[in-house]
Amino acid sequence: MTTQQIRAHTAPGSAVPVRLSARGLTLAYDDHTVVHGLDADIVEGTVTCVIGPNGCGKSTMLRALGRLMRPRAGLVELDGRDIHRVPTREVAEVLGVLPQQPVAPDGLTVADLVARGRHPSQRWYRQWSGEDHRAVSEALERTGLLELADSPLQELSGGQRQRAWISMVLAQGTDLLLLDEPTTFLDLVHQVDVLDLVRDLHRDSGRTIVMVLHDLNLAARYADTMITMREGRVVASGAPADVLTPELLREAFGLEAVVVEDPVTGGPMVVPVGRSGQRSR
């Protein structure tokens, strides 16, 4: 199946609303263009995983979708409106962003960190309220960190710390979440813990979630839709079974691979063979 065929049977013609979209998006750092004329749709109520080789522009695209970066050309639309024309507080009430490798001040407790997620809800006439307290408690309970609320963040394990950051985004109360490599530096067990949490958030409350992931098989297992990038452009988007083909893996990653059925989910599972153009030994 070609890239064009994959695109033709996804978002266009669907009755499901598109929450975020990129149109002709070009992104650059100074004179270095990272993303070139990119189009993408994030459909309501789905989990979308963005994949691609290192340096292809995945995190840069996510920053633009989260209004953390202005495009050099094109636009990002949030619920049909240019995201840069929507007031900052209004964006923060519907869109939560967890950047790659976030940093917190020394000595900050888990509860302090999670409480920061409530800042967009604060007003000069309404400071901390019972609603804020409930939101923080529910976020901590949802991520299994309620008993660690008073613990300093730096004393937590990598997996616990990542769940604390996700708790902060949850406390913000948005139904649209952008997570940039939420499993970075975690061992496999903690990767699965974090992704199971993300899946539960999607299933239980219908949140729309976009994640940048490196592990193709974990992305295939947790995603409804996959967006594959190479050199700042989308080369394929669609269901994991449509995107993870030997041909597209060769095109996007320069990887020779066999794609078999995942014995747990029935979806695609990638078995690497070697680099394209090199014979395996």
Side-chain angles (χ1 to χ4, degrees), residues 108-116 128 136 140 148-151:
L108 200 70
T109 67
V110 173
D112 290 337
L113 175 70
V114 178
R116 293 186 173 203
W128 193 260
V136 170
L140 288 168
L148 296 174
D150 296 325
S151 300

Side-chain angles (χ1 to χ4, degrees), residues 25-28 33-38 56-57 60-61 229 231-233:
L25 196 63
T26 297
L27 305 170
T33 300
V34 179
V35 171
H36 311 263
L38 180 145
C56 72
T60 300
M61 181 189 77
M229 295 181 62
E231 297 179 349
R233 294 180 171 86

Side-chain angles (χ1 to χ4, degrees), residues 9-21 23 41-48 79-80 202 206-208 224-225:
H9 73 268
T10 54
S14 173
V16 181
V18 173
R19 297 299 312 278
L20 271 174
S21 66
R23 292 289 173 264
D41 288 315
I42 305 302
V43 176
E44 183 176 39
T46 60
V47 176
T48 299
D79 295 326
H202 165 65
R207 282 181 167 90
T208 303
D224 301 306
T225 300

